[in-house]
Amino acid sequence: MALLNSSPRIAIIGAGIIGLSGAYELAVRRGARVSIYDTRSPGRGASWAAAGMLAPAFEAADEPGQHPRFFELCLQGAAAWPDFANELSARSGLDIGFSRVPCLAAATGSSEETRLGRIAARLTAARIEHSALTAQDILRREPALTPEVISGLELPSDLRVNNRQVVDALISALRACPKVRFVPGPAPLRSAAGQLRLEGHDVILGAAGWETAVIKVEVRGQLFNLVNWETALDDIESYGGQMLSVADGAGAPKHVVRAGHVYLVPRDGRVVIGATVEPDRVIDEPDDVAIEALRLEAVQLCPGLADAPVLERWAGVRPGTPDHAPFIGGTRTPGLFVAAGHFRNGILLAPVTARIIADQILGKEAGELAAAFSLRRAYTATA
Ligand code: GLY
């Protein structure tokens, strides 16, 4: 929907990395007036729980069941990060831990080696730089790895940021912007005469992750869920995730290391170890069994971590759609837009999502790829 008002007042509901990045793009970069509503502290949900990986190759080049153009979107996301990181650091004065050290993917068995081969083939076809590594190569780069590693990949496309510093930098840049207002609490949405309204605003952007469908709307004194104004929101499911960190030390890796579903991320003098993916679960607290299983998998990969003390354990909830790709775009309700459902790639996709949704809200051409992530898409998935 193109907006006639050249300076629309925009309400963003949800102050996670997607809502905050959208606000940054709309207000700081493009000068729109933005209010950001959240019932919780900004940036303390899934964005805080994440590990900060920007991993288009490992997480999107060969994932069964995903949107057929998801890898392209992830590549655009990765391409947007260097400028976004520089600008955000400069504007906020905060270091956001953007690291250009390539990720290493390790295989310790034949099925993982086969998967890495498929990722490499996809990267070759897309002309994305990568290197196949023998066991000796990967151990030379990362001596902390188990000698049982049989091969690997070096992935210069897969980098990392410190996600917690990113959200704090976004909050700081937004607080310094006179166009932005943070409003703690629920957005007072109303529906009257068939129109969805938030007083003082022209546009509403639902960006509340897995809770977007249950944003409340008042109709004649009664509260209803936002899903009634856009039925596609019902498709966003919760995927719990649990993680831990252990102390850094002689046996800790220097690179982000991936093997199967386990990842190790060196950060702030600790090693972050992730993550479980638990469909249909909303987890507030980590459980001992899942955390210990993850820790043992990490120790198999980096045996020197065996005695590293556990420093933190935490849990979060990822929002996932049926094709694991986000919803980005307008809805069947005039004035209501959505950016939600980023599953495992909210950090990677934050800058590109912000650019697309800002274009769409401001009535600009968002590009051909953007349309593939509309809420009205038919779900077709890769095999
Ligand atoms: N992208 C990492 C995770 O979802 O665990």
Side-chain angles (χ1 to χ4, degrees), residues 30-354:
R30 308 205 196 187
R33 286 168 292 168
V34 172
S35 312
I36 308 167
Y37 292 85
D38 205 316
T39 50
R40 286 179 289 229
S41 298
R44 294 305 189 266
S47 325
W48 198 255
M53 287 173 300
L54 311 174
F58 198 82
E59 293 205 359
D62 179 61
E63 280 294 306
Q66 75 185 8
H67 187 298
R69 301 193 70 187
F70 187 56
F71 183 43
E72 277 176 78
L73 185 70
C74 288
L75 290 174
Q76 286 199 2
W81 256 101
D83 283 351
F84 184 74
N86 281 340
E87 186 184 313
L88 187 56
S89 301
R91 213 177 270 276
S92 65
L94 298 173
D95 172 21
I96 60 162
F98 180 65
S99 160
R100 291 178 186 270
V101 177
C103 158
L104 298 177
T108 51
S110 58
S111 67
E112 191 56 17
E113 188 167 53
T114 305
R115 176 164 179 256
L116 294 190
R118 287 197 307 268
I119 292 175
R122 189 87 197 271
L123 296 177
T124 302
R127 298 171 191 268
I128 309 287
E129 186 190 351
H130 62 285
S131 309
L133 304 176
T134 63
Q136 277 177 334
D137 294 332
I138 193 166
L139 285 167
R140 204 174 310 118
R141 282 170 175 74
E142 188 49 86
L145 282 172
T146 170
E148 287 176 20
V149 67
I150 57 173
S151 63
L153 285 178
E154 184 174 60
L155 299 170
S157 58
D158 287 18
L159 306 176
R160 74 172 162 82
V161 286
N162 185 319
N163 47 295
R164 293 181 178 182
Q165 287 166 357
V166 170
V167 292
D168 282 348
L170 281 166
I171 293 165
S172 157
L174 290 166
R175 289 206 192 280
C177 176
K179 302 274 183 179
V180 176
R181 213 165 53 104
F182 279 92
V183 189
L189 288 176
R190 293 205 163 75
S191 179
Q195 304 242 312
L196 187 66
R197 293 243 161 266
L198 206 164
E199 208 182 313
H201 299 90
D202 307 299
V203 174
I204 297 151
L205 172 60
W210 69 277
E211 293 172 302
T212 306
V214 296
I215 291 170
K216 298 297 176 221
V217 180
E218 192 225 294
V219 186
R220 289 189 291 278
Q222 280 201 307
L223 291 179
F224 293 84
N225 290 335
L226 189 63
V227 66
N228 293 293
W229 284 262
E230 176 47 71
T231 49
L233 296 179
D234 212 16
D235 291 349
I236 303 179
E237 303 286 354
S238 58
Y239 289 80
Q242 305 190 45
M243 301 174 69
L244 71 152
S245 72
V246 298
D248 208 343
K254 302 283 176 261
H255 298 76
V256 172
V257 178
R258 322 258 338 207
H261 65 272
V262 177
Y263 50 81
L264 278 65
V265 181
R267 179 171 96 187
D268 297 336
R270 43 194 72 194
V271 181
V272 174
I273 300 170
T276 63
V277 180
E278 303 173 50
D280 283 329
R281 281 204 71 198
V282 175
I283 315 170
D284 304 325
E285 291 295 327
D287 68 69
D288 293 345
V289 175
I291 292 290
E292 181 59 6
L294 262 180
R295 194 188 71 80
L296 291 176
E297 287 183 271
V299 168
Q300 272 188 341
L301 198 56
C302 285
L305 294 177
D307 297 322
V310 174
L311 301 178
E312 297 169 282
R313 304 140 28 106
W314 66 96
V317 183
R318 309 173 186 87
T321 65
D323 58 12
H324 294 171
F327 287 146
I328 311 174
T331 66
R332 64 193 177 95
T333 293
L336 174 65
F337 290 76
V338 168
H342 288 68
F343 193 42
R344 305 193 64 176
N345 293 284
I347 312 293
L348 171 67
L349 294 175
V352 71
T353 300

